[in-house]
Amino acid sequence: MMRKPTLAGLTACTPLALGLLLSAAALSAHAKEEGPPSIKEGLPKPAAAPASGALSPFKSKGSAMAPTAAVEPDKSRKPATTPAAKGEASADETLQKMLAERIAGSGEVILRSRELPPAKPAVGEAPPAKPAASAKKAPKIEVAAQPTVALPPPRWDYSGDGGPERWSTLKPENAVCASGSRQSPIDIRDGIKVQLDPVQFEYQPSGFRVVDTGYTVQVNVAAGNTIQVMGRRYELVGFNFRRPSEERINGRGYDMGVHMVHKDMEGRLAVVAVLLTRGAAQPVIQSVWNNLPLERNREVEAASLIDPAKLLPDDPRYITYMGSLTTPPCTEGVLWIVMKTPVQVSAEQIAIFSRLYSMNARPVQPDNGRLVKESN
């Protein structure tokens, strides 16, 4: 039984290629009757032109289609495709070669779309659009991370962000400034009047150095000045000034105050507080003012000597209680000795200190029921 040509997966091609394909189909049928043509003979030559008015190049012969005449191309028309480059076979030539090989073999003409050469656009037809090239991405610029600089906490102070109400938050070691139960200063009231042993002051003229700490004027005293109280001996480390006085007695404050700081062999502290009130000039304070440094945190060593004993009132009576340092870290366990009688200081001497520190006093703290004793 004669096999019909099969056209599978046919894709778009030129008119000439389509005519060749139809001719090949007819040849395939004819080959079954007369045998396959030789490859050397090539494709059959075109027959005589068909009668005028013929539309199809094929003529029925029984149940099979036999080629009768090839349609000659109109030489007056331009070819539908552009000529192939030198040394490069055109799509029609490639298809013709493929058909000849198939006919010479099995006689069947089966062409799949993947085997067909790509169709070239006709003259005047725009070539198929090429897929748009992916836009080149801009090079990624790696920006080195800047190191994080931690800002220092606010400087503790007597007002503003670093004021006394915030001392406990500035550093962990300052927590006791808020949580402590024996903080200083306090408003001294209702002290128990008893016969207190007088403080034994063993002061002597000594060399000294003056430094402006940024919080107060501090005087560092040479060794050899001590006190003895409640069975312990403490050595004078130095003294510093407050304006106004931090200590209050029955609600009353004073123009200034001086804190004379002592330490024993075990590191425990005892502070003698002397209240200063406006009056006559004070010679020890004047010696300190004479040696004020021009810059902060730079010590000035005085050429003269001072006698710390001359800062004390003539009245030896005092008030005592347990408290703390009045500046951060507000360490507790400090023995306070507040002299009951104030010492006079001149208005000019107060004014000099006020130009440096108009206010450097911590507010009074709750006494929390502490025992306060005073000399009767």
Side-chain angles (χ1 to χ4, degrees):
M1 183 177 178
M2 180 178 60
R3 292 180 295 179
K4 294 181 180 181
T6 305
L7 301 177
L10 185 59
T11 60
C13 57
T14 63
L16 180 57
L18 181 60
L20 291 172
L21 185 59
L22 294 175
S23 298
L27 287 174
S28 176
H30 183 71
K32 293 298 181 180
E33 296 177 356
E34 301 180 3
S38 172
I39 296 177
K40 294 182 179 180
E41 294 176 356
L43 293 174
K45 297 181 180 180
S52 176
L55 298 177
S56 173
F58 297 95
K59 184 177 180 181
S60 296
K61 184 178 180 182
S63 59
M65 299 292 294
T68 57
V71 178
E72 292 191 11
D74 186 355
K75 296 181 179 181
S76 64
R77 296 182 62 183
K78 293 182 180 181
T81 59
T82 56
K86 185 176 181 181
E88 179 183 350
S90 68
D92 291 339
E93 292 174 348
T94 303
L95 181 60
Q96 182 178 1
K97 182 177 179 181
M98 291 173 60
L99 291 172
E101 291 175 353
R102 295 293 177 91
I103 293 170
S106 62
E108 293 183 352
V109 181
I110 301 175
L111 296 178
R112 296 176 176 85
S113 59
R114 64 176 179 271
E115 297 175 345
L116 294 175
K120 294 185 178 182
V123 176
E125 182 181 349
K130 294 182 179 181
S134 59
K136 292 184 177 180
K137 295 183 178 179
K140 186 177 181 181
I141 301 175
E142 297 289 341
V143 180
Q146 296 297 323
T148 302
V149 179
L151 296 177
R155 174 180 179 268
W156 75 266
D157 208 335
Y158 290 100
S159 62
D161 292 341
E165 66 280 359
R166 298 194 61 188
W167 287 354
S168 63
T169 66
L170 301 181
K171 291 182 179 180
E173 55 266 32
N174 295 353
V176 71
C177 295
S179 63
S181 60
R182 297 187 299 173
Q183 290 291 294
S184 296
I186 62 172
D187 184 2
I188 302 170
R189 297 173 181 267
D190 303 323
I192 299 176
K193 293 184 179 182
V194 294
Q195 188 68 39
L196 294 174
D197 292 334
V199 178
Q200 299 179 18
F201 291 97
E202 299 176 0
Y203 290 163
Q204 60 187 4
S206 306
F208 67 100
R209 300 179 306 278
V210 181
V211 58
D212 182 347
T213 65
Y215 297 102
T216 188
V217 174
Q218 179 173 303
V219 180
N220 299 320
V221 182
N225 297 279
T226 63
I227 63 171
Q228 188 169 339
V229 61
M230 298 183 185
R232 291 184 175 275
R233 182 176 294 274
Y234 300 84
E235 183 167 11
L236 177 64
V237 177
F239 54 90
N240 56 75
F241 299 88
R242 295 289 188 272
R243 168 140 174 84
S245 67
E246 291 185 317
E247 295 73 31
R248 292 175 179 268
I249 299 178
N250 294 321
R252 180 186 174 184
Y254 293 82
D255 294 299
M256 290 184 65
V258 56
H259 292 167
M260 307 178 76
V261 182
H262 305 73
K263 183 184 291 187
D264 71 1
M265 295 295 293
E266 298 175 2
R268 285 179 286 196
L269 298 176
V271 179
V272 175
V274 177
L275 304 171
L276 302 176
T277 188
R278 194 182 305 265
Q282 216 290 327
V284 174
I285 292 177
Q286 189 59 49
S287 295
V288 174
W289 284 188
N290 292 343
N291 290 279
L292 284 173
L294 296 176
E295 295 180 300
R296 288 182 173 179
N297 298 309
R298 299 192 67 175
E299 276 190 334
V300 172
E301 185 171 0
S304 59
L305 303 178
I306 59 171
D307 186 355
K310 292 183 178 179
L311 273 174
L312 301 172
D314 295 333
D315 183 357
R317 293 180 301 161
Y318 62 93
I319 302 167
T320 185
Y321 72 97
M322 293 301 296
S324 72
L325 295 177
T326 61
T327 59
C330 309
T331 306
E332 295 187 341
V334 178
L335 173 64
W336 279 88
I337 302 168
V338 181
M339 306 307 294
K340 292 183 70 172
T341 303
V343 172
Q344 290 187 358
V345 61
S346 70
E348 291 77 10
Q349 291 173 330
I350 296 173
I352 290 174
F353 186 81
S354 297
R355 290 188 62 176
L356 300 175
Y357 301 101
S358 60
M359 204 289 291
N360 66 337
R362 186 188 190 189
V364 294
Q365 304 296 304
D367 62 20
N368 294 320
R370 275 175 280 181
L371 178 62
V372 177
K373 296 193 300 183
E374 62 175 294
S375 302
N376 54 19

